[in-house]
Amino acid sequence: MSRILKLINIQLRRDLTACRGIARLPLRTICCTARKQAEESDASSVLGKRWKDTAETVIIGGGCVGVSLAYHLAKSGMKDVVLLEKSDLTAGSTWHAAGLTTYYHPGINLKKVHYDSCKLYERLEAETGQAVGFHQPGSVRIASTPARVDEMRYQMTRTHWHVTPQYFIGPEKVHELFPLLNIDKVLAGLYTPDDGHIDPYSLTMALAAGARMYGAQIYNPAPVTGLNPTADGKWDVQTPHGTIRANRIVNATGFWAREVGKMIGFDHPTIPVHHQYVVTATVPEVKELKKELAVIRDLEGSYYLRQERDGLLFGPYEKMEKMKLQDSWVRDGVPPGFGKELFESDLDRIMEHVEMAMEMVPVLKKADIINIVSGPITYTPDLLPMVGPHQGVRNYWAAIGFGYGVIHAGGIGKFLSDWIRNGEPPYDLIECDPNRYGKWADVPFMCAKARESYGFNNVVGYPKEERFAGRPTSRTSGVYDLLKDKGSMGFHAGWEQPHWFYKPGDDIGYKPSFRRTNWFGPVGRECKLVMEKVGVIDLTPFGKFIVKGKDSHKLLDRLFANTMPKVGLTNISHMLTPNGRVFAEVTITQLAPGEFLLITGSGSEGHDLRWIEAEAADGGYDVDISNVTDGIGVLGIAGPNSRKVLQKLTDEDLSDAGFKFLHCKSIKLAGIPVRAIRISYTGELGWELYIDQKDMAAVYQAMMEAGKDEGIDNFGTYAMSSLRLEKGFRGWGAEMNCDTNPLEAGLDYFIKLNKPADFIGKAALQEIKAKGLKRKLSYITVDTDDIDPEGNETVWHNGKVVGNTTSGAYSYSSQQSLAFAYLPTELCSVGQKVEVELLGKKYPAAVIQEPLVLTEPTRTRLQKKAKGKA
């Protein structure tokens, strides 16, 4: 208090000398001013710089990811960027990381993140004057089994249409790049030039220098002690040095992410795992080399290995039963003061992999180990980071859960900076959406999945991959217990959903392959069931929201490019970004005046809800938005006999005249209240039935009993995917996403540019239409053998890459492979010949008229028209 009084006296003397009017100021104002000056003075003495009390963006966490975001935001022109680090920059996981960099990623969109990171690191030293220790000798992923060779060919076709150079090479080239290998064990390699490694500490310091150079403020030590949201969507960020009022905050705190999240009521599903790597002394054979060894990743041995000065560094990923979680930090929090400490090493835990490395690189047998680094890295349940704005609160962003923070840092910093500055993601990265998890991702699930993800780090990456640890979660539908033993289950946003069903004589179980496998025949059987009889499918994983209130119609008219359906009607609508790209596809039904039911895909639940909530809050709309996903079960019934089955259970008229396509009614089935919508994603006659979860099993059993004479049976999502492709139905996340606009995706019918409402993306779409399209979605058949396209394969024409598939499947109706593909407009004409690459082979393909099979409503309409003419 004496310090504050002293400042008051000094201030009074100064102001009285300068202006006699100071005597009119309230003492409280003088005290507050003095207290603030005292706090700023204290902060300045500790931090060595003036404290800012407002900011456009406050980034919490000074690892390489957080500092990269500060750098990118400041460089892009944002004036008030503040980064708060609780101790030292790089404390946590960054400082002890092995620093590997690679252009490679098995996912489609994360390749862009890796690309942007590598390109930034190449120029960062010249830009900032700070050395970064970036080595780019290239890297080789080693295949030592036939399955690995297939995996590499599979990844090649998913890379050719990207900018990153990548090569499938033979043993001789592998040996040339890493001459110390036991080449007898090598069948092939996947070579990525310019991969390598970087010094994580130097990288972070260079990014920090760049951030400061462009105007960002970095405060440390400045731990965050509290986060309080304000009514206008801003945040008060509390620290020992004072409070900063921020327009937005970004959690980039690594393994402290859960603790920061808990300040605002979130339990982020992140957990630290122990990762070890071994550093050797000088190895004579390495010292004699004329150039640096390429980094190798021995996938069967589950380790990486690179040159470290004149020695070697290798880091294994031990099996799930041997790896170690730091789960006590989830329960008790990270120990105070932990930042640049390490765990005790445990060589026995990784000895199996050490021995495999010695077999592959024999010089290791004679090498002396000088260091074993064992430190915490952060995992999410699926190993992918959580990146973007979080649903449930305004202006809270996540950049957490990075198991590979060094290679992600540069690209994620740019990705988030572009999103924050422009109001939309620069490209689709929904696999990293922080809202993909819900309350179902509890601590036991998180621990089981993190253990599995770490232990499965280098398993073969098959298409349609399933992993079974931690399942089922609390999210099970009302018919799960009835179906769980009858088929192969898939995991969708915490839910268990049947992919396909077993019959006597089937080769059952999960048997992944790059070619047609055990589900191929049974899925054909299910497609025939729906086309000729009647099938039932569990669609409960759909995301389901209710939007109602005075401004509900106005809000949805702003959000969606289609007109809103009238009461009792349903339509397909799309939310667009400001730049006219497809953010979401939603089925909308107006249940009552001003009350709407919105249905979206399982993987888009939190993604879409956040977008809707943000627009409602920012626009000041008087609406109530509720997520009813968990409480409502959904059964789909489809096929020519579906009406007969349902009619046995209800007095409602289900005829074409009584219950029209895309109409919704509240009915009773077997005496149970059901909301029925006449729609089916198979394209056949069908309904979706929305039922209270507690009544779902009873409705299912009633339908199965009523449909015995009609040949009723179950079908799964694999059959639905094949049937929707035959009908030419687009799927969000495949044919349309944040990388595509609705015009090139062929969604013109659903886009109402002439509707009065100024929907988001309208102006951009009008401009796109005026300029004309450069590519369009095409419908193609592919002449294959024992393999089918599934999406993201390269399309060739005259020896050049011209596009990519978006989804694919086998058409059981026409006995051929089908796919959607984006092609240049000059190659979109029906009859155009192209080639689709599958497992290293180019298969003939041709553009055809869509759809291959007419939908049931279209067939019915044409039949009525033909009868009328007759």
Side-chain angles (χ1 to χ4, degrees), residues 314-363:
F314 65 100
Y317 293 92
E318 56 267 41
K319 294 176 181 177
M320 57 187 296
E321 61 270 16
K322 290 187 176 181
M323 64 85 65
K324 187 173 182 181
L325 299 173
Q326 193 61 29
D327 49 2
S328 64
W329 290 7
V330 174
R331 182 179 63 251
D332 305 323
V334 181
F338 191 98
K340 288 196 171 181
E341 290 73 32
L342 294 170
F343 299 133
E344 185 175 346
S345 62
D346 183 358
L347 192 58
D348 289 342
R349 205 168 73 232
I350 60 173
M351 203 61 211
E352 175 185 356
H353 304 276
V354 172
E355 291 171 355
M356 286 189 283
M358 288 178 175
E359 287 299 313
M360 185 64 79
V361 185
V363 296

Side-chain angles (χ1 to χ4, degrees), residues 696-707:
M696 192 177 174
V699 172
Y700 170 82
Q701 289 171 322
M703 287 197 302
M704 298 306 282
E705 181 65 28

Side-chain angles (χ1 to χ4, degrees), residues 178-235:
F178 202 103
L180 305 181
L181 277 179
N182 176 2
I183 208 67
D184 293 341
K185 295 180 174 291
V186 177
L187 297 179
L190 203 62
Y191 171 48
T192 313
D194 297 329
D195 281 6
H197 53 97
I198 195 167
D199 175 42
Y201 179 86
S202 299
L203 167 65
T204 307
M205 293 306 157
L207 288 168
R212 294 187 185 102
M213 181 172 71
Y214 294 118
Q217 292 290 332
I218 298 177
Y219 294 134
N220 67 294
V224 172
T225 57
L227 295 169
N228 295 315
T230 65
D232 59 353
K234 297 182 180 181
W235 289 90

